[in-house]
Amino acid sequence: MKNGYELFVRPPLFSLDAETAHHLTIELLQKASHFDPALRVLRSFQPSSKPKTLFGLNFPNPIGLAAGLDKNGVALPAWAALGFGFIEIGTVTAKAQPGNPKPRIFRLPEQQALINRLGFNNDGADAIAQRLAALRVSARWPDVPVGINIGKSRATPLEQATDDYLYSFRMLRDFADYITLNISSPNTPGLRELQEPEKLSELLHAIGNEAGTAPKPLVVKISPDLSNTELKAVLEVCSENGVSGIIATNTTLDHSSIAPQLDQAGGLSGAPLRDKSTALVHEIAARSTIPVIASGGIFDAESAAEKFQAGAQLIQLYTGFVYRGPQLLREIMDSL
Ligand SMILES: Cc1cc2nc3c(=O)[nH]c(=O)nc-3n(C[C@H](O)[C@H](O)[C@H](O)COP(=O)(O)O)c2cc1C
């Protein structure tokens, strides 16, 4: 049976082009974030709580907002009101950038999937730090953990990637409960090479040296397209550098399940990614003690349970939330 969002909200949103629908939704949630009566309405969707402590943070429930939905951190109070147990904003880059030419988000409703090649369109670390500073002095800072996901600016050569990450890290760390290093988005040329042991080691070392007096948990977000050997190397480097968590996974470049006439260049997310990311979660939990945050193809209670069974401590939603709306949180929580 379809839920209220699927019956009444999704059809008008899906009649718009995907990016227009996205902007409209974010704009509404941004407005709601400044307006208490609207936040009270959003709270009516809240799922039951099931507190969990991980890397020293208290999560009211294990369902988080995945990076990319609120890249600029404009609607934190609204996400918390909807009942997300944690919110990850970004990807933020050191420099503001427009991203790739449009169109760059594509819906595949039959496959319950999206393909995107946004390319880290975002306001940049300076503007986002200012926005978060303003939110912090208001009374509206959310009472759930906030992660900030950082990535490399497109204009920065790969050899200078560390400096680019360091800039965003320094600008944003004070606002974050944890920082995610995104080294796995497929839409910034060369970015995924940062998963190579030497490059990852350099990056983790540099960020680790910056930790300061109040170090923040560092989380690494990886690609589902890593081979077993590559994954093993990533895990080793992460362990050596005291990484607090791994997000498995980002979108995939494996489009083998998509018919050629529907295909588009970019990262594939949603149902076709489900098994591949679950397999990675399983592999990481089997090989390492680093906690895993699962992301990829979570659409219902069953696909969420599968991630926990594979060893995930927390989960994150993106495409499932676009297709199933806020009631998905309650559906998952009621089943846990
Ligand atoms: C339109 C779109 C934009 C995204 N942007 C980002 C991003 O900026 N940074 C990031 O780390 N992941 C990004 N992702 C990946 C999601 O956070 C998530 O890891 C991935 O889509 C798999 O989860 P899902 O199947 O629930 O969508 C994006 C995904 C989509 C569909």
Side-chain angles (χ1 to χ4, degrees):
M1 208 176 69
K2 286 186 173 167
N3 68 37
Y5 169 89
E6 291 165 314
L7 282 173
F8 304 114
V9 181
R10 191 176 69 187
L13 280 179
F14 275 32
S15 71
L16 304 170
D17 123 88
E19 192 161 346
T20 308
H22 175 81
H23 283 304
L24 187 67
T25 309
I26 295 294
E27 231 171 81
L28 283 172
L29 291 174
Q30 180 172 14
K31 290 211 167 84
S33 292
H34 297 282
F35 190 48
D36 285 330
L39 289 174
R40 274 198 291 278
V41 173
L42 296 182
R43 277 191 205 107
S44 65
F45 291 98
Q46 285 219 348
S48 50
S49 69
K50 194 171 183 201
K52 178 168 186 85
T53 303
L54 192 69
F55 26 85
L57 301 174
N58 297 319
F59 297 81
N61 72 57
I63 310 174
L65 179 77
L69 250 162
D70 190 359
K71 288 179 187 273
N72 293 314
V74 297
L76 288 150
W79 300 118
L82 282 170
F84 281 100
F86 62 110
I87 304 161
E88 187 166 315
I89 66 162
T91 294
V92 183
T93 55
K95 300 169 187 143
Q97 53 182 37
N100 289 321
K102 294 177 185 171
R104 51 194 185 172
I105 311 180
F106 307 89
R107 296 188 195 97
L108 288 77
E110 292 278 297
Q111 289 72 22
Q112 297 202 294
L114 296 172
I115 295 176
N116 92 85
R117 49 170 181 267
L118 287 166
F120 292 166
N121 51 315
N122 80 104
D123 295 343
D126 294 355
I128 293 170
Q130 269 186 27
R131 181 172 298 131
L132 296 176
L135 181 66
R136 195 149 72 178
V137 296
S138 76
R140 296 175 187 278
W141 189 269
D143 52 4
V144 299
V146 173
I148 303 184
N149 176 311
I150 60 177
K152 182 186 81 69
S153 311
R154 191 184 179 97
T156 302
L158 197 64
E159 308 77 63
Q160 289 157 30
T162 296
D163 292 338
D164 201 82
Y165 280 87
L166 271 176
Y167 184 85
S168 301
F169 181 79
R170 289 176 186 137
M171 290 303 296
L172 295 165
R173 64 177 158 198
D174 288 347
F175 304 105
D177 292 302
Y178 71 88
I179 294 274
T180 299
L181 300 179
N182 181 3
I183 50 170
S184 51
S185 281
N187 301 311
T188 296
L191 189 87
R192 299 184 356 154
E193 287 175 35
L194 296 173
Q195 295 175 118
E196 290 167 12
E198 244 174 57
K199 295 194 175 89
L200 179 57
S201 212
E202 182 195 321
L203 177 60
L204 290 174
H205 222 83
I207 299 272
N209 282 341
E210 280 285 315
T213 46
K216 296 287 162 77
L218 204 59
V219 171
V220 171
K221 184 162 179 179
I222 62 170
S223 157
D225 303 328
L226 290 173
S227 69
N228 257 340
T229 318
E230 288 166 333
L231 176 65
K232 199 169 158 228
V234 165
L235 291 177
E236 253 166 46
V237 175
C238 286
S239 294
E240 283 162 16
N241 287 278
V243 163
S244 297
I246 295 195
I247 302 181
T249 66
N250 215 313
T251 55
T252 179
L253 283 179
D254 173 4
H255 292 204
S256 54
S257 61
I258 305 301
Q261 67 273 21
L262 294 175
D263 207 5
Q264 288 287 343
L268 173 66
S269 60
L273 176 60
R274 171 177 167 179
D275 291 348
K276 202 169 180 175
S277 53
T278 304
L280 240 84
V281 171
H282 197 271
E283 198 60 31
I284 300 166
R287 284 177 187 270
S288 151
T289 53
I290 304 177
V292 185
I293 302 173
S295 154
I298 300 168
F299 265 74
D300 50 22
E302 193 197 325
S303 46
E306 181 183 285
K307 302 292 194 214
F308 292 117
Q309 277 151 19
Q313 302 289 328
L314 302 169
I315 59 173
Q316 289 181 325
L317 309 178
Y318 193 128
T319 307
F321 186 75
V322 170
Y323 278 88
R324 309 263 349 268
Q327 278 129 315
L328 174 58
L329 278 82
R330 190 177 284 173
E331 191 179 309
I332 295 172
M333 285 313 297
D334 287 350
S335 73
L336 287 182

